[in-house]
Amino acid sequence: MDTNSASPGRGTPPGPPDPGLLRRLYRDLALTRAIDRESLALQRQGVFPAYVQVLGQEAAQVGSAAALERGRDFAFPTYRELGAAVALDADLTGYLASHRALWHGGLWNPRECGLAPLNAVVGGPVPHAVGWAMGAQLDGTGGCALAYFGDGASSQGDIHEAMNFAGVFRLPVVFFCQNNRWALSVPLREQVAGGSVAARAAGYGMPGVQVDGNDVLAVHTAVAEAVRRGREGGGPTVVEALTYRRAPHSTSDDPTRYRGTPEEAAEEAEWAGRDPLELARRLLLAEGAADPEWLDRTDRAAALRARRHADEVAALPEPSGEEMFTQVLEHPTAALREQQEEWREWHGYRADWEVAENG
């Protein structure tokens, strides 16, 4: 595997892995893969206006989120963390509702599962996570924040400010970079100086770890250690999961316009040969944690559940436009109420006009 500077063995647990943990991780990987496929189909059918695939990054997301403690920690996702939603046991129909673009931030309860609403701002979840971590430190909850971002977002100024702040105040936060080697259409070599996001951690006075992002157990171990360190007052950690974006950036993207050199084709084939689910299957079999029958049964169960969530999200009724105003503030301001009245008046005009036009 060409991972530039990944340290072999880093993130590997010291003893035999827990069979129960391995089976849980595989169930979440299989469900993430199955829902990802159904979601792409929903986009092709016109149910979703657009979708961002997770293909190839399932282990990085599942392994990291599974290291959190529900009710104590909190994860801050971008728009591509389906695997984190699965691992944190979020309402997955509610999660998928975000991709229908009819609801702001999805329909799941962030407080219940510890997963913040989707954030489409490049690098946006990181300062949010740091703010939450500051609150957890002040309140003495022992909670730890997990901030998701990519190698492209690592070039944003917000990331620098958030890491510096967290380093100064030794906040309990894990900066989790999914280095999938492509910042939309720009390859890693052209936008990350030095080639390593983890190496930047030293400049902020915190440890930085590179881990094989396609190895779900290695990711889980690295993040669990970073969370433990944060809880004990050791401050933040950067964990860089080395992986590969095997799908287009989104369904609106055409990677053939920017990927095509022989070296890039070889790199893509190499990572495709290290599929996270296949690696996990081999691990469970090698450790005696499951047999082929259990693995196949788990895959079938995941496919059925994914289909159910797809059917449910497609059947959800469209929300009332009133929610633009009623879901913003518990106690609306005078200006907001005035805007709501204007909207109702306009909505009434439009309804009358449509009746007149259609007879």
Side-chain angles (χ1 to χ4, degrees):
M1 177 179 67
D2 177 17
T3 53
N4 282 341
S5 55
S7 301
R10 260 183 144 167
T12 303
D18 173 28
L21 173 63
L22 291 181
R23 287 191 290 271
R24 174 195 169 194
L25 293 174
Y26 186 83
R27 276 193 294 265
D28 289 347
L29 287 173
L31 183 56
T32 301
R33 176 67 60 86
I35 293 179
D36 199 43
R37 286 174 175 155
E38 290 288 346
S39 297
L40 180 61
L42 287 174
Q43 192 278 328
R44 296 293 190 251
Q45 296 163 17
V47 177
F48 290 169
Y51 181 68
V52 286
Q53 283 182 267
V54 180
L55 183 64
Q57 298 178 223
E58 296 92 341
Q61 297 178 10
V62 167
S64 55
L68 300 184
E69 181 180 325
R70 186 168 174 142
R72 193 181 193 188
D73 304 320
F74 223 93
F76 292 81
T78 68
Y79 43 75
R80 199 193 297 278
E81 266 72 62
L82 168 63
V86 170
L88 291 170
D89 199 23
D91 174 352
L92 296 176
T93 299
Y95 177 89
L96 293 176
S98 302
H99 294 291
R100 275 190 66 186
L102 296 174
W103 297 269
H104 299 293
L107 294 175
W108 76 93
N109 187 329
R111 184 184 293 273
E112 285 182 355
C113 62
L115 180 71
L118 303 190
N119 194 323
V121 177
V122 177
V126 180
H128 290 186
V130 169
W132 187 93
M134 171 61 93
Q137 185 185 70
L138 292 172
D139 292 341
T141 66
C144 186
L146 178 61
Y148 286 99
F149 63 104
D151 47 294
S154 72
S155 301
Q156 291 287 102
D158 301 37
I159 306 293
H160 159 71
E161 294 167 16
M163 287 186 177
N164 188 60
F165 187 91
V168 167
F169 290 97
R170 301 180 68 78
L171 298 180
V173 55
V174 179
F175 296 101
F176 188 77
C177 176
Q178 289 177 82
N179 181 348
N180 66 17
R181 310 187 76 78
W182 286 94
L184 211 168
S185 60
V186 181
L188 179 73
R189 63 180 180 276
E190 294 182 12
Q191 67 92 31
V192 174
S196 169
V197 177
R200 297 176 181 176
Y204 302 107
M206 64 182 81
V209 178
Q210 280 192 328
V211 66
D212 181 352
N214 284 21
D215 182 338
V216 67
L217 183 60
V219 172
H220 181 272
T221 303
V223 174
E225 170 60 20
V227 169
R228 182 199 61 75
R229 184 172 173 277
R231 288 199 206 292
E232 296 177 354
T237 302
V238 175
V239 177
E240 181 181 10
L242 301 169
T243 183
Y244 193 80
R245 196 193 80 211
R246 289 164 55 189
H249 175 73
S250 72
T251 50
S252 303
D253 177 37
D254 177 9
T256 64
R257 299 180 63 185
Y258 54 84
R259 284 184 190 175
T261 68
E263 293 78 13
E264 289 166 351
E267 181 183 64
E268 189 170 354
E270 185 176 4
W271 281 96
R274 301 193 68 257
D275 180 77
L277 268 80
E278 183 56 34
L279 293 180
R281 284 182 74 98
R282 293 177 196 166
L283 176 63
L284 265 71
L285 292 171
E287 294 293 335
D291 56 29
E293 182 181 352
W294 184 91
L295 292 166
D296 293 343
R297 189 166 65 248
T298 300
D299 289 346
R300 290 194 297 272
L304 288 173
R305 184 175 170 189
R307 175 61 61 86
R308 174 169 64 80
H309 287 303
D311 290 343
E312 288 176 352
V313 74
L316 283 173
E318 294 188 12
S320 165
E322 294 273 353
E323 290 188 3
M324 289 189 293
F325 309 96
T326 59
Q327 291 199 353
V328 176
L329 299 171
E330 183 178 4
H331 303 290
T333 63
L336 190 60
R337 286 197 296 271
E338 183 179 347
Q339 291 173 16
Q340 186 175 10
E341 286 303 316
E342 290 177 355
W343 178 86
R344 285 173 174 165
E345 186 177 357
W346 171 84
H347 195 66
Y349 283 141
R350 194 183 74 165
D352 292 342
W353 177 81
E354 289 177 347
V355 169
E357 282 288 305
N358 299 323

